[in-house]
Amino acid sequence: MSGFERRGGELTLDGVSLAQVAQRFGTPCYVYSRSMIEAAFRQFDTGLAGVDHLVCYAVKANSNLAILDALGRLGAGFDIVSGGELARVLAAGQSAGRVIFSGVGKSEAEIRGALAARIKCFNVESEPELERLDALAAEAGVRAPVSLRINPDVDARTHPYISTGLAGNKFGIPHAHALAVYRRAASMANIRVAGIGCHIGSQILETSPMDEALERVLDLVDALALEGIGLEHLDLGGGFGIRYRDETPPDIGAHCARLAARLKGRGFQVMLEPGRAIVGPAGALLTRVEYLKLDKEKRFAVVDASMSELIRPALYESWHDIVAVGPDQGRAAGRYDVVGPVCESSDVLGFDRDLAVAAGDLLAILSAGAYGMVMASNYNSRPRPCEVLVDAGRAIEVRAREGVDSLFALEKRLPPR
Ligand SMILES: *Cc1c(COP(=O)(O)O)cnc(C)c1O
């Protein structure tokens, strides 16, 4: 299913030469495959075909308008975590009626904006948030559709920084308090109880914690039904892992089909919020080797990408495959730390990589479609890179490289004394 393929020794994406993409748009540069993104979405969508469902793409994984547009055309909903993401979804021509709003810290302005846009549902993460939402909905003269995000207290067995479903975590409402909070929600004049949800973490490689979370949530659904609180939808979150190195990701189609079978006939819409699994494998960061720095102790390949463009290795110690774009030229391989120009020792994109490279060569950092560009910063005053979408044999620039002037366009010098 991967569109990354060697042709004549040269790395291509859906038949498009990545060397030519780099030549045309410069480096560093993110490049994505539309067909891979669509195929990944369809695995969820087709897997759930047996039940009423809505696959809400987690916008924070990669929020480029072209990607939102492509997914929207397939019928995706959108899981957002900020007013900025809502603005992006709307700017991509998508309907607010397919937007759900997650996150622990929704501000008054963000809630007002989402109420005005008439989003599908607020995934509420605390009682104070519920009170704020009720008050703001009253002000706006509407009833706010609400789903409570339950913290089911199951261990997703993933990296602690991206685990979100354990007791003591900042996310969600503890399972033990859920019934009480639902009773309150049901009694509020400007709240409409619409659903229930959970999201237990990210880069999850085993589906058993997800199954466990589902059963914990279904217990609550049954308890709520006994109290006459009915629900329209059940949202099982995202978190599906992908292969970065040698992981075996879950079979999405099979998992979704099992979900559909488990939930068939219960009468609610089934929702998922996948991000990484839809865009992660479909993207690469192209970078050029500036120097080979050969010290006694260590050999470094200094490249023109850095933690400013891709922070995951520095932030989570995550591994991304790094491969040469060009054909094998029979050079001797050396073992390099692939490092960027940023002034931090943690600015390492990959430790101990065996590469047969020379200065000027192009490298591709793989599985970089999720949590890559969205986490890019201007640290060290580096303009953010461009993004290119490969679509039916064409390479389309879907975000231009930032200019140096935009780095300080919002800043001011001191007024005269
Ligand atoms: C981040 C997030 C997701 C998406 O997680 P992935 O691991 O990218 O699938 C889904 N739902 C919520 C609430 C999130 O915070």
Side-chain angles (χ1 to χ4, degrees):
M1 206 185 71
S2 175
F4 290 94
E5 198 189 353
R6 288 208 180 268
R7 291 197 183 171
E10 203 198 308
L11 193 64
T12 60
L13 179 54
D14 295 338
V16 170
S17 152
L18 292 180
Q20 278 176 24
V21 169
Q23 189 67 40
R24 195 167 144 208
F25 301 103
T27 54
C29 162
Y30 275 100
V31 57
Y32 313 116
S33 155
R34 180 174 180 182
S35 70
M36 286 176 74
I37 292 169
E38 291 180 340
F41 175 83
R42 287 205 180 94
Q43 282 202 305
F44 288 96
D45 201 37
T46 311
L48 290 175
V51 285
D52 178 19
H53 66 275
L54 183 64
V55 179
C56 292
Y57 168 63
V59 172
K60 75 177 191 281
N62 186 325
S63 54
N64 187 286
L65 297 194
I67 290 176
L68 303 181
D69 189 4
L71 288 169
R73 291 182 200 206
L74 298 184
F78 299 94
D79 175 40
I80 61 164
V81 292
S82 72
E85 287 189 349
L86 176 57
R88 280 182 174 278
V89 170
L90 299 177
Q94 306 306 310
S95 142
R98 280 190 281 151
V99 170
I100 56 175
F101 193 172
S102 301
V104 292
K106 301 176 190 79
S107 72
E108 291 198 348
E110 287 175 320
I111 291 174
R112 282 201 183 95
L115 285 170
R118 295 267 194 275
I119 64 164
K120 177 178 170 70
C121 194
F122 290 85
N123 290 348
V124 168
E125 302 223 11
S126 69
E127 222 170 332
E129 182 192 334
L130 188 63
E131 283 159 19
R132 175 179 278 184
L133 184 55
D134 183 45
L136 295 175
E139 228 178 75
V142 297
R143 282 184 92 190
V146 159
S147 167
L148 298 188
R149 172 170 173 183
I150 307 305
N151 182 333
D153 192 18
V154 302
D155 185 355
R157 295 191 277 279
T158 181
H159 192 289
Y161 285 11
I162 50 177
S163 186
T164 60
L166 268 175
N169 207 282
K170 77 171 176 181
F171 296 101
I173 293 168
H175 186 275
H177 301 174
L179 279 179
V181 183
Y182 266 106
R183 284 184 202 117
R184 278 216 64 196
S187 74
M188 288 175 160
N190 296 284
I191 296 292
R192 181 170 65 79
V193 173
I196 191 165
C198 66
H199 169 74
I200 60 173
S202 197
Q203 186 54 16
I204 299 171
L205 294 164
E206 307 166 55
T207 50
S208 52
M210 295 181 168
D211 296 340
E212 226 177 292
L214 168 61
E215 297 309 319
R216 303 269 289 155
V217 169
L218 284 177
D219 286 350
L220 285 173
V221 171
D222 294 338
L224 287 168
L226 287 177
E227 302 197 12
I229 301 176
L231 302 173
E232 296 157 23
H233 73 251
L234 184 150
D235 177 353
L236 294 164
F240 302 89
I242 63 170
R243 171 171 293 183
Y244 286 102
R245 188 176 190 175
D246 50 12
E247 302 89 338
T248 308
D251 179 336
I252 301 295
H255 176 73
C256 289
R258 270 196 297 126
L259 265 185
R262 176 79 181 86
L263 296 171
K264 201 174 170 64
R266 293 202 62 140
F268 34 57
Q269 185 178 48
V270 178
M271 287 157 70
L272 291 174
E273 305 169 346
R276 187 190 311 271
I278 289 182
V279 287
L285 176 59
L286 303 180
T287 183
R288 206 172 279 284
V289 179
E290 297 279 12
Y291 306 100
L292 294 183
K293 183 165 181 261
L294 311 175
D295 290 352
K296 272 214 191 69
E297 311 279 296
K298 268 275 183 201
R299 302 155 68 91
F300 297 97
V302 185
V303 300
D304 65 3
S306 71
M307 66 190 290
S308 314
E309 291 75 30
L310 181 66
I311 202 176
R312 297 189 69 260
L315 187 61
Y316 308 121
E317 299 179 333
S318 53
W319 167 286
H320 287 263
D321 261 343
I322 303 178
V323 299
V325 170
D328 185 352
Q329 306 195 31
R331 290 194 202 101
R335 180 157 293 182
Y336 298 94
D337 283 1
V338 179
V339 301
V342 164
C343 304
E344 297 287 342
S345 297
S346 59
D347 184 24
V348 179
L349 295 161
F351 287 102
D352 295 326
R353 302 308 175 90
D354 294 320
L355 293 165
V357 283
D361 281 5
L362 269 179
L363 299 175
I365 304 174
L366 302 179
S367 302
Y371 305 106
M373 182 62 175
V374 286
M375 287 193 184
S377 77
N378 292 124
Y379 187 42
N380 280 208
S381 286
R382 296 169 57 80
R384 278 176 293 177
C386 60
E387 294 176 288
V388 171
L389 185 72
V390 170
D391 181 13
R394 283 190 309 157
I396 306 164
E397 190 182 52
V398 291
R399 179 181 164 115
R401 184 177 304 284
E402 263 176 5
V404 168
D405 48 351
S406 71
L407 291 174
F408 43 83
L410 301 175
E411 297 174 29
K412 289 186 180 63
R413 293 185 59 191
L414 289 172
R417 263 219 232 257

